Amino acid sequence: MTQPADIAAQCQSLDELVHSAQQCRVCPALAADRGHVVVGQHPPGARVFVVGEAPGAQEDLTGEPFVGRSGQLLDTVLHDAGLPRSSVAITSVVKCRPPANRTPTRAEIVSCSPWLDQQLQLIDPQIVVALGTVAMQWALGRQARVGEQRGRLQPFRDRQLMVTYHPSAALRFGPNGAPLAALRDDLAIVAAALR
Ligand code: URA
């Protein structure tokens, strides 16, 4: 079977990439049950690229990234940081919903990453925001702790990277929890770096 790695790198536009990714059936367990391949939101001229983990139920239903509970919180914190959702590109490392919202497997992450790598090239943002462990591991290429990597911009493929908490962690720890405060602080750093 043709792999995303072969096809993704040849996509010369985001439209082409979206079309190709929608045909992908490399992960049988994910392709069997999906409603949509959630490739992402790519407004023209976006300078910030937000990367999550994988679609959930609402995203699978609608085909849009971050439209469930995590997405609503993401919208709020982006807006409050001065980064309206309409101005940023948004996707996830894995484009199909894992059954029962389990964490994507290593194999799924490796298989799906070429789409994201090529999205990064085509969007050409100044700053990538990696939400949570899976996105952080895609960016850093190794395991690390979000708590140790967050709070500062770091160099990343001739761009800048902000590792921060996934909104689902912020929801889990509640409105007074450390992850929400950290997420807000980190997005404020991102917004300031764009000015
Ligand atoms: N969580 C993610 O990481 N991505 C989505 O699109 C939705 C929830």
Side-chain angles (χ1 to χ4, degrees), residues 41-126:
Q41 163 189 314
H42 314 115
R47 289 189 291 158
V48 175
F49 188 22
V50 177
V51 181
E53 178 177 313
Q58 288 304 312
E59 293 77 19
D60 181 64
L61 208 61
T62 60
E64 296 298 324
F66 280 100
V67 290
R69 277 188 76 217
S70 288
Q72 286 163 20
L73 179 60
L74 181 64
D75 286 354
T76 301
V77 292
L78 283 171
H79 173 270
D80 293 352
L83 299 166
R85 181 186 173 116
S86 57
S87 72
V88 302
I90 305 182
T91 192
S92 298
V93 175
V94 168
K95 315 296 192 209
C96 298
R97 181 191 184 201
N101 293 342
R102 64 161 169 73
T103 304
T105 64
R106 185 80 207 131
E108 288 161 356
I109 293 168
V110 168
S111 293
C112 210
S113 292
W115 299 117
L116 179 53
D117 293 332
Q118 188 66 4
Q119 273 173 304
L120 178 66
Q121 294 298 319
L122 294 169
I123 294 167
D124 192 23
Q126 178 188 334

Side-chain angles (χ1 to χ4, degrees), residues 1-193:
M1 189 184 301
T2 313
Q3 299 290 316
D6 304 328
I7 305 169
Q10 293 167 23
C11 292
Q12 300 295 312
S13 72
L14 287 161
D15 283 350
E16 201 182 321
L17 184 142
V18 169
H19 181 76
S20 296
Q22 281 169 345
Q23 322 297 317
C24 183
R25 304 194 65 81
V26 167
C27 305
L30 305 192
D33 278 346
R34 72 184 176 212
H36 287 91
V37 179
V38 185
V39 187
Q41 163 189 314
H42 314 115
R47 289 189 291 158
V48 175
F49 188 22
V50 177
V51 181
E53 178 177 313
Q58 288 304 312
E59 293 77 19
D60 181 64
L61 208 61
T62 60
E64 296 298 324
F66 280 100
V67 290
R69 277 188 76 217
S70 288
Q72 286 163 20
L73 179 60
L74 181 64
D75 286 354
T76 301
V77 292
L78 283 171
H79 173 270
D80 293 352
L83 299 166
R85 181 186 173 116
S86 57
S87 72
V88 302
I90 305 182
T91 192
S92 298
V93 175
V94 168
K95 315 296 192 209
C96 298
R97 181 191 184 201
N101 293 342
R102 64 161 169 73
T103 304
T105 64
R106 185 80 207 131
E108 288 161 356
I109 293 168
V110 168
S111 293
C112 210
S113 292
W115 299 117
L116 179 53
D117 293 332
Q118 188 66 4
Q119 273 173 304
L120 178 66
Q121 294 298 319
L122 294 169
I123 294 167
D124 192 23
Q126 178 188 334
I127 301 178
V128 174
V129 177
L131 299 174
T133 310
V134 169
M136 175 188 67
Q137 288 180 5
W138 161 76
L140 299 181
R142 62 183 166 83
Q143 297 204 338
R145 286 182 182 280
V146 172
E148 288 166 5
Q149 296 294 323
R150 63 151 294 268
R152 64 181 191 282
L153 290 164
Q154 47 184 303
F156 172 62
R157 302 189 196 176
D158 296 329
R159 312 171 195 280
Q160 292 170 291
L161 172 69
M162 174 62 80
V163 170
T164 190
Y165 289 103
H166 194 285
S168 63
L171 286 170
R172 208 163 43 246
F173 283 83
N176 298 317
L180 179 58
L183 179 57
R184 287 185 176 282
D185 288 349
D186 295 343
L187 292 176
I189 294 170
V190 169

